[in-house]
Amino acid sequence: LAKTTQPISMDSYEGQEVNITCSHNNIATNDYITWYQQFPSQGPRFIIQGYKTKVTNEVASLFIPADRKSSTLSLPRVSLSDTAVYYCLVGDHTGGFKTIFGAGTRLFVKA
Amino acid sequence: EAQVTQNPRYLITVTGKKLTVTCSQNMNHEYMSWYRQDPGLGLRQIYYSMNVEVTDKGDVPEGYKVSRKEKRNFPLILESPSPNQTSLYFCASSLVGGGEKLFFGSGTQLSVL
């Protein structure tokens, strides 16, 4: 199972774009990349998932280079409410039943 | 509403007193899993289940038991709780496997005295 590495913490200001990069050097061919957001004392919440290139939804974009050994979660124009921990997770849809979250990236958005 | 329901939300108990944390999902998901979260350690997987009567160990299974007799329910059992099991616990489910979109419950804060 691919292990992921993320920065421990990041600071930003309201209105800025934030990019959080996740390294997953051992990603397997069938693995997808999924990002979750977690607020204190709440369960993680799905943000976005992708396999390659770029995926965009109403809250974020996910950029995946051709070698897929890393991925970048992009949060446009963050607000104070985006202060949370962000987790990158790698696994496939069929056999990746064991999930490894890692410590995540703590994003702090300042006014 | 699609959801994963955990109970109780908070639980205080004493060492050695058996307890069960319940988890139920209403999405007909095959996959269910339990995690514990401790400060600075992120989420660590305890047990997971790929379907009814199929369970397997995660990274930190010691001191825990699970069962999957019905598709919707996946209780976490602590036969003899110890203080090092004081933690925030989350149940999650997904359609097929861990790589699928996971839906999490609201968490159970357990304190073992």
Side-chain angles (χ1 to χ4, degrees):
Chain A
L1 201 70
K3 182 182 176 182
T4 60
T5 303
Q6 304 172 232
I8 294 173
S9 65
M10 295 179 70
D11 287 347
S12 182
Y13 288 93
E14 279 190 296
Q16 289 188 333
E17 178 184 76
V18 171
N19 296 310
I20 305 174
T21 297
C22 178
S23 172
H24 29 79
N25 290 320
N26 296 323
I27 190 168
T29 303
N30 294 330
D31 284 344
Y32 283 74
I33 300 153
T34 312
W35 284 80
Y36 292 85
Q37 176 193 55
Q38 186 183 25
F39 298 114
S41 299
Q42 293 185 25
R45 183 176 69 101
F46 172 89
I47 302 174
I48 197 166
Q49 184 178 73
Y51 182 79
K52 62 180 179 181
T53 63
K54 177 184 174 182
V55 179
T56 297
N57 63 20
E58 62 277 7
V59 297
S61 293
L62 178 60
F63 299 92
I64 305 168
D67 66 6
R68 304 202 324 124
K69 292 184 183 299
S70 67
S71 58
T72 299
L73 173 73
S74 181
L75 304 171
R77 298 178 298 282
V78 294
S79 63
L80 297 176
S81 63
D82 291 316
T83 293
V85 178
Y86 292 83
Y87 294 96
C88 163
L89 189 66
V90 172
D92 67 51
H93 286 189
T94 56
F97 302 111
K98 201 169 183 178
T99 52
I100 300 176
F101 270 85
T105 298
R106 186 172 298 276
L107 172 65
F108 186 69
V109 180
K110 301 179 240 185
Chain B
E1 180 191 351
Q3 61 184 359
V4 177
T5 304
Q6 286 179 238
N7 281 297
R9 183 72 178 90
Y10 300 94
L11 180 58
I12 300 175
T13 189
V14 295
T15 299
K17 187 175 181 182
K18 181 180 179 180
L19 66 91
T20 299
V21 183
T22 64
C23 175
S24 179
Q25 50 91 6
N26 62 0
M27 296 168 279
N28 201 36
H29 283 170
E30 304 275 330
Y31 180 87
M32 297 187 75
S33 182
W34 277 102
Y35 303 86
R36 61 177 288 174
Q37 186 168 38
D38 304 288
L41 294 178
L43 287 147
R44 293 182 292 169
Q45 192 174 33
I46 303 172
Y47 270 95
Y48 61 93
S49 169
M50 295 177 284
N51 211 326
V52 175
E53 303 293 1
V54 181
T55 63
D56 209 344
K57 297 176 181 178
D59 288 326
V60 289
E62 294 78 23
Y64 304 95
K65 282 177 58 176
V66 292
S67 69
R68 187 94 182 270
K69 293 185 171 57
E70 306 166 280
K71 198 171 188 178
R72 63 182 292 125
N73 296 322
F74 190 46
L76 179 69
I77 303 156
L78 284 72
E79 294 268 358
S80 182
S82 62
N84 63 13
Q85 293 179 297
T86 292
S87 187
L88 179 58
Y89 292 86
F90 290 103
C91 178
S93 72
S94 72
L95 193 60
V96 175
E100 281 274 8
K101 176 181 176 180
L102 286 162
F103 292 80
F104 282 82
S106 299
T108 296
Q109 180 63 59
L110 171 65
S111 295
V112 183
L113 306 177

